[in-house]
Amino acid sequence: MATGTTQPSVASSRMASGVQGGVVTPPIPRLAREAEKPVTVPRLVRVTMESSPYFKLVGPSGVCRKVPPGMCSTLRIVFTPGENKDYFHCLFCTTEREEFIVPIRAIGARAVLDFPDQLDFSVCPVKYSTQKTLMVHNLGNREAHYQISTQSPFSVIPTMGTLGIGDTLQVTVEFHPLQTGDHCASLVVHYGTVVAVALSQKALLRVLLAFKTTPELSERAKVQGDPMLFFDDIFTIKPVEGEIWPNSSAEISVIFRPREGRVYKHAVYCDISGRETRLPLRLIGEGLGPRLHFQFEELDIGKVSVISLHRYEAILVNKGPIEGLFSLIPPTTAVGSCFTFLPQQGILAPDGLQAISISFRTTIPGEFKEEFQFRVNESPKPVTLTIRGYVIGPTFHFDVRALHFGDVAFGECAQGLERSVRGLCVAEMEHLSLRASVTRVPPQQP
């Protein structure tokens, strides 16, 4: 037995925008008989519609219609809208084998926003904001509640709102690329109907610049919104940020304030709109402080005796461009503490000289080498004077190797000894005042 199907020749019935209180007759749906194989048996089709104040099937509902093979049966539906809005309904077609549902749609008032299909930004510099403004009109017959969105590096203002019938809206689209190359995104507009505008990206524009402390934007700066502008106690850049217009230049001042006499180095990075990477700038400056030094770096005082007072002099010179304040750093060693420097502190003008008096007295014999340091303001290193020498003790000797008393009578021993002692001479250093005593050594047994 041959089989066949009966189905509507239109998948749905769509009505034009209706007028409130009017009657609209839509395109007539037809029921067509299709057979997989040639058949000669007609089919009965029952057409029904649920009760609705807006849609009405012309003719009796629920009546079976005989549809011959390969033929059509026409249906009429009357649409009476109550207001300017969308309407939905269904038509049910049933045979002895299957049931079909034909959707009925009536489209009411619609907002129509005239966005362009594409917005081209052409060639733009990186890290620079380029804006384009669109004037959008509502050409429809209904108020538009819109939402606009896009993706980075594009942004749009406003992102949502309401546009009345016949009104105009100014939409600003901004392009701010962070990398070179082509960029493309969609500007999606929702207002009942989704509209997609293609955004793609040569113009000479003003250049924005800012001096930063790092070669690239850190994640922490992104989160905290910190511009990370350059700041330093030694180097100062003015202005630290600004703009340069086409065919013009800008003067950037770098101020160097050294705190001590040494070489300073610092790296700063200029973030320029139109460049993907920051432009490095290396700052190098040398602070010229007071340059104090002694006319000789080492003083050799040779051999000196203990206890005696010795005096010397050293000349301190300032070869720097500014005056220098100097002060003696107290020595910490035993021999170093035996030296006295006058003056211990003072101010030395540029190209000036200062005589430093040195006194030395010690009771510690032996060789020594001491380093004495003078602290100089605004100078990283102190001035050093090295003093070396050898401290020796006093020496004694008799002018004769032995005393011969000759023959001395008994009873005259003490007197003879007294006279003989007068002939004893002790040789010692004339500039020392020392106490001496004679100790008798017992004679050795033969």
Side-chain angles (χ1 to χ4, degrees):
M1 179 178 179
T3 60
T5 58
T6 303
Q7 58 182 353
S9 61
V10 289
S12 64
S13 179
R14 182 177 178 180
M15 301 181 179
S17 300
V19 180
Q20 183 176 348
V23 177
V24 177
T25 301
I28 302 171
R30 296 178 299 174
L31 297 176
R33 176 73 183 279
E34 298 179 357
E36 297 175 357
K37 295 181 180 180
V39 294
T40 58
V41 179
R43 294 291 184 190
L44 291 177
V45 181
R46 184 172 178 266
V47 181
T48 59
M49 178 187 291
E50 293 182 354
S51 176
S52 171
Y54 310 112
F55 298 93
K56 183 178 181 181
L57 180 63
V58 177
S61 176
V63 176
C64 293
R65 302 168 187 267
K66 184 180 291 187
V67 183
M71 301 301 290
C72 298
S73 178
T74 303
L75 303 175
R76 292 184 180 274
I77 301 172
V78 177
F79 171 48
T80 307
E83 57 182 302
N84 200 353
K85 67 175 186 177
D86 294 349
Y87 291 89
F88 301 93
H89 208 56
C90 292
L91 188 68
F92 299 94
C93 304
T94 308
T95 70
E96 66 272 19
R97 293 189 176 188
E98 61 264 329
E99 182 180 59
F100 302 98
I101 299 176
V102 181
I104 301 174
R105 297 184 179 92
I107 300 175
R110 281 288 184 269
V112 179
L113 305 183
D114 60 343
F115 275 90
D117 295 332
Q118 182 172 336
L119 186 60
D120 191 356
F121 280 84
S122 188
V123 179
C124 301
V126 296
K127 297 182 180 179
Y128 184 87
S129 295
T130 304
Q131 295 181 346
K132 285 198 174 185
T133 302
L134 303 176
M135 302 303 296
V136 180
H137 301 80
N138 186 357
L139 304 178
N141 52 5
R142 185 177 181 180
E143 187 179 60
H145 299 276
Y146 62 87
Q147 291 183 347
I148 310 175
S149 61
T150 187
Q151 300 86 35
S152 180
F154 298 96
S155 60
V156 61
I157 296 176
T159 58
M160 63 176 61
T162 302
L163 186 62
I165 301 173
D167 290 346
T168 302
L169 171 68
Q170 180 175 300
V171 177
T172 301
V173 181
E174 182 177 286
F175 176 50
H176 188 89
L178 299 178
Q179 297 178 342
T180 58
D182 296 332
H183 298 268
C184 185
S186 294
L187 181 70
V188 181
V189 185
H190 294 266
Y191 60 98
T193 302
V194 179
V195 178
V197 181
L199 303 176
S200 58
Q201 60 148 127
K202 200 172 206 186
L204 293 176
L205 304 173
R206 64 190 178 100
V207 173
L208 301 178
L209 58 88
F211 290 94
K212 309 283 186 174
T213 57
T214 57
E216 58 185 12
L217 183 61
S218 63
E219 292 297 328
R220 178 181 177 184
K222 290 180 182 178
V223 174
Q224 298 182 350
D226 188 355
M228 298 292 289
L229 295 177
F230 175 76
F231 176 79
D232 187 69
D233 294 335
I234 305 302
F235 295 97
T236 303
I237 298 179
K238 293 184 178 181
V240 71
E241 58 181 339
E243 59 184 29
I244 304 177
W245 290 90
N247 301 318
S248 62
S249 61
E251 182 176 321
I252 307 297
S253 299
V254 181
I255 302 172
F256 177 47
R257 296 189 182 94
R259 292 188 171 183
E260 55 186 27
R262 67 178 183 88
V263 176
Y264 292 86
K265 296 180 180 180
H266 210 299
V268 63
Y269 302 89
C270 186
D271 191 7
I272 305 173
S273 59
R275 282 183 59 97
E276 182 176 355
T277 58
R278 294 178 178 177
L279 186 65
L281 175 64
R282 191 177 185 188
L283 305 178
I284 302 176
E286 182 179 0
L288 298 178
R291 295 181 178 177
L292 274 64
H293 64 88
F294 286 96
Q295 286 186 338
F296 45 85
E297 296 182 354
E298 183 175 299
L299 174 62
D300 190 349
I301 62 176
K303 293 182 178 181
V304 294
S305 59
V306 295
I307 300 178
S308 60
L309 179 63
H310 306 273
R311 301 181 185 275
Y312 309 95
E313 186 178 82
I315 304 299
L316 188 61
V317 182
N318 183 8
K319 291 297 183 180
I322 61 175
E323 64 181 18
L325 174 63
F326 66 92
S327 60
L328 174 67
I329 300 176
T332 58
T333 63
V335 176
S337 302
C338 298
F339 285 86
T340 302
F341 294 84
L342 291 176
Q344 293 188 356
Q345 61 183 13
I347 299 177
L348 193 55
D351 296 326
L353 303 176
Q354 175 66 58
I356 305 294
S357 298
I358 306 172
S359 301
F360 176 54
R361 185 198 297 269
T362 184
T363 59
I364 304 174
E367 187 178 8
F368 69 89
K369 180 181 179 181
E370 296 289 331
E371 285 190 354
F372 300 93
Q373 295 182 337
F374 286 80
R375 184 184 296 109
V376 181
N377 68 314
E378 300 179 353
S379 180
K381 295 181 179 180
V383 180
T384 301
L385 175 64
T386 301
I387 301 178
R388 66 167 63 240
Y390 192 94
V391 180
I392 59 175
T395 58
F396 299 87
H397 67 276
F398 292 98
D399 59 347
V400 293
R401 294 183 61 85
L403 292 178
H404 296 280
F405 290 92
D407 295 331
V408 179
F410 182 76
E412 296 182 5
C413 179
Q415 183 178 3
L417 177 61
E418 181 182 357
R419 289 197 305 269
S420 300
V421 169
R422 292 193 188 105
L424 178 63
C425 177
V426 179
E428 61 184 47
M429 297 181 179
E430 296 178 355
H431 54 276
L432 292 179
S433 176
L434 300 175
R435 296 179 62 184
S437 61
V438 179
T439 302
R440 178 177 179 275
V441 179
Q444 298 180 356
Q445 296 295 331

